[in-house]
Amino acid sequence: MKFVAVTSCPTGIAHTYMAAENLESIGKELGHDVQVETQGSAGTVPLSDDVIAAADGVIYAADLEVKGKERFAGKPFVDVGVKKAVHDPKEVIAAAVAAVENAPKAGTPEAAAAAAAAASAPPSKPAARDVGVGTRIRTWLMTGVSYMIPFVAAGGLLIALGFLFGGDGVVAKLYGGTYDGVTYTAVAPSLENGFAKGVDIYTLLSQAGFPGLMFLVGKVAFFMLVPILSAYIAFAIADRPGLVPGIVGGLLASMVGAGFLGGLASGFIAGGIAYWLTRLPVPKGVRGVMPVVVIPLISALLMGVIMLLVLGKPISALQTGLADWLNSLSGTSGVVLGVILGLMMAFDMGGPLNKVAYTFAAGSLATAIQAGQMDSPALSIMAAVMAAGMTPPLGLALATAVRKKLWTDAERENGLACWLLGLSFITEGAIPFAAAHPLRVIPSLMAGSAVTGGMVMAFGCTVEAPHGGIWVIALVGNWFGWLISIVVGTVITALLVTFLMSLDAKKTEALAHAEDLKEGVAA
């Protein structure tokens, strides 16, 4: 059979492309032709109309709303989460085959009735899989997070590079001239309002140089975190009508100091308002101006009233409380938090818990940098999360190199790739191993990451960048302690997974040997 598929995950990075690769390779192995459209962060190359027309069925392996879903209307389909296609592509393809076989055959009365019903019905999207309220809320939230993360990475790295090349004084030069003793913390309160009045931006840039330019651009990217988060949560709920109230609500949340938490609240509220307005029955004469005038006007106004007069101050107080709690972390409490974040990073390797831990760290880092709190524990939390996310693939890479007989040839190749993935802070590199040996691999990964997270907090390591792994080591405070933490976590992961795999060593090695023979015969 011929299938077309669409894959997408909340961040649009690893799961999106791993699911696509699995569907294509397993489909070929089973004798089917599967062509995949990846709707990820690297952009989307849409499937051609000819390929879609020739397909027998459609596979949706997506955690986000599929773009252009109407292109596949009328074809048998299966709708699963992206992790299902990563972990069990054979079952997904089997379900797609069953959907095609159970669909009404062309030329039968059932097919004619279905075609007549489709022709008379208004255009609609294919039905999605039945999901609960909790799953929908998580999908909406992760849509916002997926669009926010590139701003976190770009803004954080640019700000960090500005400090790296210009020192702490780059901010004083950029925001107030060349004043002796003026630090980031001293001028931070004025950053929300931009530059001092009457000062030409190009004069300031000439004083701060290229490091100042990097800092400025990074600051602008960071300022957009909350509006982007809010906008795309609302977009996930209400489609395009949610963008205007989402952006307005996010900007207002930033202005009143509600920050990241305010962005979350404004996104859900804006999406709900926009969705409600799009469902209102209105006269035909008004329908044409609803999406461009009425809905943006009313939704933006309502969002402004709610954020400025109702939610702004309470959420700002909650945000301040969270910041104060982070700043109070030290000693044992910091180590415990590092252990918990390490466990979360390793448990599902890019899944919901992993993203919650990362989003918490990145949001805390953004808040600290925006407030000029460069000594905040938020920088240590980011260092702990990044290090704990690196050890799972690194530990498996080491394990496959130490005891090669315990692994198949394909797993040993994945192990080689895991060296680069781990060093680059791409935790998802561990997924193929966890999918094949969950009870042996996942506990090992969690143990190594928990130790790493706790050690990083104990050593007081910091990082000013929200991503990058080993490649941003120049931006790491106490880089030696950070590296030691990663090495210890990597070794613990490798030792534990090797031990657990060795409990039934003869069976494991026999399976690996059989798999190697099978691949050799196929070659």
Side-chain angles (χ1 to χ4, degrees):
M1 293 184 181
K2 291 184 178 180
F3 293 100
V4 288
V6 179
T7 62
S8 70
C9 67
T11 56
I13 306 175
H15 283 78
T16 298
Y17 302 100
M18 292 173 71
E21 182 180 353
N22 284 358
L23 289 173
E24 289 175 346
S25 60
I26 297 299
K28 185 177 181 180
E29 179 182 315
L30 297 175
H32 304 296
D33 178 24
V34 183
Q35 297 196 43
V36 185
E37 177 181 309
T38 53
Q39 296 186 356
S41 58
T44 302
V45 179
L47 293 165
S48 70
D49 293 339
D50 292 340
V51 170
I52 295 173
D56 298 300
V58 185
I59 299 171
Y60 301 117
D63 286 345
L64 304 180
E65 186 65 30
V66 174
K67 302 170 188 174
K69 207 171 187 179
E70 65 280 355
R71 296 171 293 160
F72 311 102
K75 290 187 177 293
F77 69 94
V78 292
D79 192 352
V80 299
V82 68
K83 291 185 74 173
K84 184 70 173 176
V86 173
H87 294 304
D88 199 354
K90 286 187 178 180
E91 184 176 329
V92 174
I93 293 174
V97 170
V100 173
E101 291 176 342
N102 294 330
K105 303 297 182 183
T108 63
E110 293 84 358
S120 61
S124 62
K125 297 179 180 179
R129 64 187 182 278
D130 186 21
V131 296
V133 174
T135 301
R136 290 189 181 277
I137 291 174
R138 183 178 70 84
T139 300
W140 297 334
L141 173 61
M142 295 312 297
T143 299
V145 170
S146 71
Y147 281 95
M148 180 196 74
I149 284 176
F151 286 83
V152 174
L157 287 170
L158 284 169
I159 288 173
L161 289 171
F163 282 125
L164 178 65
F165 293 111
D168 195 40
V170 67
V171 184
K173 296 175 182 177
L174 189 59
Y175 284 91
T178 52
Y179 300 113
D180 293 334
V182 177
T183 64
Y184 184 96
T185 304
V187 299
S190 68
L191 298 189
E192 293 293 337
N193 301 319
F195 300 103
K197 291 183 179 179
V199 180
D200 181 74
I201 184 174
Y202 297 104
T203 301
L204 294 176
L205 285 176
S206 68
Q207 295 173 169
F210 192 69
L213 178 64
M214 288 191 290
F215 179 90
L216 174 61
V217 176
K219 184 67 169 59
V220 171
F222 250 29
F223 181 72
M224 293 305 298
L225 296 186
V226 173
I228 291 296
L229 173 69
S230 175
Y232 281 97
I233 290 175
F235 173 78
I237 297 171
D239 213 329
R240 293 203 314 180
L243 286 175
V244 170
I247 292 174
V248 170
L251 285 168
L252 291 174
S254 295
M255 289 174 60
V256 300
F260 187 75
L261 296 177
L264 291 175
S266 67
F268 283 105
I269 295 171
I273 292 172
Y275 185 84
W276 171 67
L277 289 173
T278 59
R279 296 302 185 272
L280 287 178
V282 296
K284 290 184 178 179
V286 182
R287 289 179 189 172
V289 296
M290 284 291 289
V292 293
V293 177
V294 179
I295 293 177
L297 171 65
I298 296 176
S299 62
L301 178 60
L302 288 175
M303 195 65 246
V305 170
I306 291 171
M307 185 53 65
L308 292 176
L309 302 182
V310 181
L311 294 179
K313 287 187 176 180
I315 295 179
S316 177
L318 183 60
Q319 180 85 3
T320 301
L322 176 61
D324 292 341
W325 172 69
L326 289 176
N327 289 328
S328 70
L329 289 176
S330 61
T332 303
S333 59
V335 173
V336 171
L337 180 60
V339 169
I340 293 172
L341 291 173
L343 292 171
M344 294 173 69
M345 288 299 293
F347 176 71
D348 54 4
M349 296 150 283
L353 276 180
N354 175 284
K355 289 299 180 287
V356 167
Y358 177 78
T359 303
F360 169 70
S364 301
L365 177 68
T367 300
I369 291 180
Q370 289 282 71
Q373 299 170 342
M374 302 309 290
D375 56 349
S376 168
L379 278 71
S380 293
I381 291 172
M382 190 70 250
V385 164
M386 190 183 299
M390 294 167 66
T391 57
L394 288 175
L396 290 166
L398 180 59
T400 56
V402 171
R403 286 290 302 274
K404 294 183 179 181
K405 290 184 177 181
L406 292 176
W407 310 94
T408 67
D409 187 57
E411 287 171 336
R412 290 194 290 270
E413 289 183 6
N414 286 336
L416 291 175
C418 278
W419 287 114
L420 180 59
L421 294 173
L423 291 173
S424 303
F425 182 35
I426 301 177
T427 317
E428 289 87 344
I431 289 176
F433 298 91
H437 318 281
L439 297 179
R440 302 178 185 186
V441 170
I442 294 176
S444 306
L445 304 185
M446 293 175 67
S449 292
V451 171
T452 295
M455 287 181 64
V456 169
M457 295 296 289
F459 286 144
C461 306
T462 61
V463 65
E464 298 170 6
H467 214 292
I470 197 70
W471 315 115
V472 295
I473 193 169
L475 308 174
V476 175
N478 188 8
W479 60 268
F480 184 74
W482 192 69
L483 287 180
I484 289 294
S485 303
I486 294 172
V487 170
V488 170
T490 297
V491 172
I492 289 175
T493 298
L495 289 174
L496 278 176
V497 77
T498 300
F499 169 72
L500 292 176
M501 292 291 289
S502 300
L503 290 178
D504 196 1
K506 290 184 178 180
K507 180 179 178 181
T508 303
E509 293 179 12
L511 288 173
H513 182 62
E515 186 67 24
D516 291 344
L517 289 177
K518 179 181 175 182
E519 293 184 3
V521 170

